[in-house]
Amino acid sequence: MPRVCITVQGKNAQPYRFSLDRKVVRIGRSTDNDIVIDCPSVSSHHCEMKRIDGGYILEDKDSTNAIKVDDARMEIIDLANGLDILVGDAALDFELTDKEKDTLSEEEHVPKQRAPLPKKKKDGKASPKHPASPLPSRPGSPGAATTLVITPTTSGTNFAITIGLLFLALMAFYFGLASKHQSDHPRTEYESKGLWGDMWSKGELPRKKLDSSE
């Protein structure tokens, strides 16, 4: 028969045994539990030990002080010999005989152990279950996270400004040539087609005397 021993500081250890076929064993401070722990840090219905394929798990029932392995709060613990488990501040020892181990080893076991999810605040945002959080590593120390600095890019803006300035420069250059072209070939001498027209005309520039009325 599996054996559970509960030890509360300052009190004698309380051993419990139950059948390997027992599916659920309820643990808490209230007298309607299967295992009653008289300890202020233990909730009324603190946790449940459940039989699964290949072994047992200890599942927290939303208790105040949680169930712990090596001081880490857990939601579900895969029970095994030699684990240091705390139910609130009470120590829980779980033992199996060699025969019970052999029986359970014939079953397919899927680990269930996991840490609790962060609880949600009233505003809907998730918050850690523990108020304390580890201090961040110093920059440059082993394991320290590298800070990624993202600088907004201005390449698109710079490119548009460059194109605009280039366009203005080309326009100024063109109008300068056009002005010089008109001064070199006054209207009284010939009828000009304009700078571009004259540049693309084949042969000599067609010259047409203008009427004196013009």
Side-chain angles (χ1 to χ4, degrees), residues 134-204:
L135 294 175
S137 302
R138 292 180 299 172
S141 62
T146 301
T147 303
L148 177 62
V149 179
I150 301 176
T151 304
T153 178
T154 58
S155 59
T157 303
N158 292 339
F159 179 77
I161 294 174
T162 302
I163 293 297
L165 292 176
L166 182 59
F167 177 77
L168 292 176
L170 289 175
M171 291 297 294
F173 179 74
Y174 170 77
F175 284 116
L177 288 179
S179 176
K180 185 176 184 306
H181 177 79
Q182 291 178 0
S183 64
D184 290 342
H185 304 282
R187 182 174 175 81
T188 56
E189 181 181 354
Y190 74 103
E191 183 178 7
S192 174
K193 299 178 181 179
L195 176 61
W196 288 109
D198 292 345
M199 290 175 61
W200 288 98
S201 296
K202 294 183 179 180
E204 294 185 357

Side-chain angles (χ1 to χ4, degrees), residues 15-187:
Y16 299 88
R17 290 189 178 275
F18 50 91
S19 171
L20 196 62
D21 297 331
R22 181 76 175 267
K23 296 298 182 183
V24 178
V25 176
R26 296 174 178 84
I27 302 173
R29 195 175 70 251
S30 178
T31 56
D32 60 351
N33 290 283
D34 300 306
I35 296 178
V36 178
I37 303 178
D38 185 13
C39 179
S41 64
V42 177
S43 298
S44 297
H45 299 91
H46 199 105
C47 58
E48 291 181 355
M49 187 166 57
K50 297 180 178 180
R51 172 77 158 89
I52 63 171
D53 290 341
Y56 289 86
I57 61 171
L58 189 66
E59 182 176 4
D60 183 61
K61 304 305 291 183
D62 200 25
S63 63
T64 301
N65 295 303
I67 56 177
K68 303 174 185 177
V69 174
D70 296 331
D71 291 331
R73 296 170 71 102
M74 303 295 292
E75 182 180 357
I76 296 177
I77 299 173
D78 286 316
L79 291 176
N81 292 338
L83 276 181
D84 294 327
I85 301 171
L86 286 178
V87 177
D89 293 330
L92 183 150
D93 295 323
F94 178 77
E95 294 181 4
L96 293 170
T97 64
D98 292 339
K99 184 177 180 180
E100 290 165 346
K101 293 178 185 177
D102 293 339
T103 299
L104 294 175
S105 65
E106 295 175 357
E107 302 173 359
E108 184 177 356
H109 175 66
V110 178
K112 305 291 184 182
Q113 185 163 308
R114 66 173 181 266
L117 295 174
K119 288 184 177 180
K120 289 187 177 181
K121 296 181 179 179
K122 292 182 179 180
D123 58 3
K125 296 181 179 180
S127 61
K129 194 163 185 177
H130 308 286
S133 58
L135 294 175
S137 302
R138 292 180 299 172
S141 62
T146 301
T147 303
L148 177 62
V149 179
I150 301 176
T151 304
T153 178
T154 58
S155 59
T157 303
N158 292 339
F159 179 77
I161 294 174
T162 302
I163 293 297
L165 292 176
L166 182 59
F167 177 77
L168 292 176
L170 289 175
M171 291 297 294
F173 179 74
Y174 170 77
F175 284 116
L177 288 179
S179 176
K180 185 176 184 306
H181 177 79
Q182 291 178 0
S183 64
D184 290 342
H185 304 282
R187 182 174 175 81

